[in-house]
Amino acid sequence: MDRTPVTAERIEQILANVELLKELIREELDVQLRFDLESVEWLDGYIERRHLEGDTAKWDGTISVIGSFLGECIRHQIGGDWYWWDDNLGIFFNEGDAVFPFNKLRKQLENGRDGGDSILDLYRTTLVIMRHRQSTQRSAPTPRAPAPAPAPKAPAPSNNWFSNFKGAGKFGG
């Protein structure tokens, strides 16, 4: 299935969710959320407490608001754009790399950290992988035009080994 661009209206909803969360947390708990690791750590703890309480009645609102914030944290740190893929809203970085903050948030609420799910782990892992890929792309040497080769007497060996790696290393949320 192909990814589908998110409408401007949906982006506005995401940004409104972000501002709502920042305002509520600031007013109710005197915590300033920023698009950084410390804020994701704080939210990870908050989500873990919700998981332990087991109150599923309020999860949809929690997922919508905190998932928007988590996605924007990732976007502010390393870029990417919101897209739909199937029925999942995610951040896509290029042709194959994507994370799905709403899905990971739901999994943490259901399973908790002990069940192997954490938005903090998603955030950290995404930043490490994508920053590595970005630095590798920037530091790659500029390809040079090959020197003219003498006409071979026999057919040149095939370089098909490289095609086996095309598309390797993709990850999803």
Side-chain angles (χ1 to χ4, degrees):
M1 171 149 286
D2 291 330
R3 63 184 180 181
T4 306
V6 174
T7 64
E9 180 182 24
R10 181 64 175 168
I11 296 294
E12 288 176 19
Q13 291 171 341
I14 290 168
L15 298 177
N17 282 344
V18 168
E19 291 308 312
L20 173 65
L21 179 67
K22 289 169 72 174
E23 182 181 325
L24 286 172
I25 298 297
R26 182 180 60 248
E27 288 177 3
E28 298 295 323
L29 303 171
D30 198 30
V31 172
Q32 298 288 329
L33 294 179
R34 295 174 303 278
F35 299 117
D36 60 13
L37 176 64
E38 291 79 20
S39 295
V40 176
E41 286 174 334
W42 189 90
L43 286 169
D44 187 77
Y46 174 83
I47 293 161
E48 192 62 17
R49 289 186 297 278
R50 297 295 78 76
H51 161 71
L52 295 172
E53 289 172 0
D55 182 10
T56 62
K58 298 178 184 176
W59 282 5
D60 287 340
T62 299
I63 291 167
S64 180
V65 172
I66 296 177
S68 294
F69 184 83
L70 176 60
E72 284 299 302
C73 283
I74 292 168
R75 282 184 12 84
H76 276 81
Q77 292 298 317
I78 54 174
D81 294 301
W82 288 103
Y83 281 91
W84 289 103
W85 184 73
D86 201 8
D87 288 331
N88 300 297
L89 186 57
I91 305 290
F92 283 73
F93 305 103
N94 54 39
E95 283 301 315
D97 296 322
V99 292
F100 298 90
F102 300 98
N103 293 2
K104 180 52 82 174
L105 180 56
R106 181 176 303 281
K107 287 179 182 179
Q108 185 175 352
L109 283 166
E110 291 171 356
N111 306 322
R113 288 186 205 136
D114 289 343
D117 289 303
S118 165
I119 65 164
L120 181 57
D121 289 348
L122 172 73
Y123 180 81
R124 285 180 173 157
T125 302
T126 301
L127 266 57
V128 167
I129 290 171
M130 294 312 299
R131 284 181 176 160
H132 174 73
R133 289 199 180 158
Q134 290 169 350
S135 70
T136 302
Q137 291 169 351
R138 280 184 287 228
S139 65
T142 305
R144 296 182 185 173
K153 294 180 182 174
S158 171
N159 285 330
N160 286 340
W161 65 270
F162 183 74
S163 66
N164 293 335
F165 296 99
K166 190 174 184 179
K170 297 178 193 295
F171 69 98

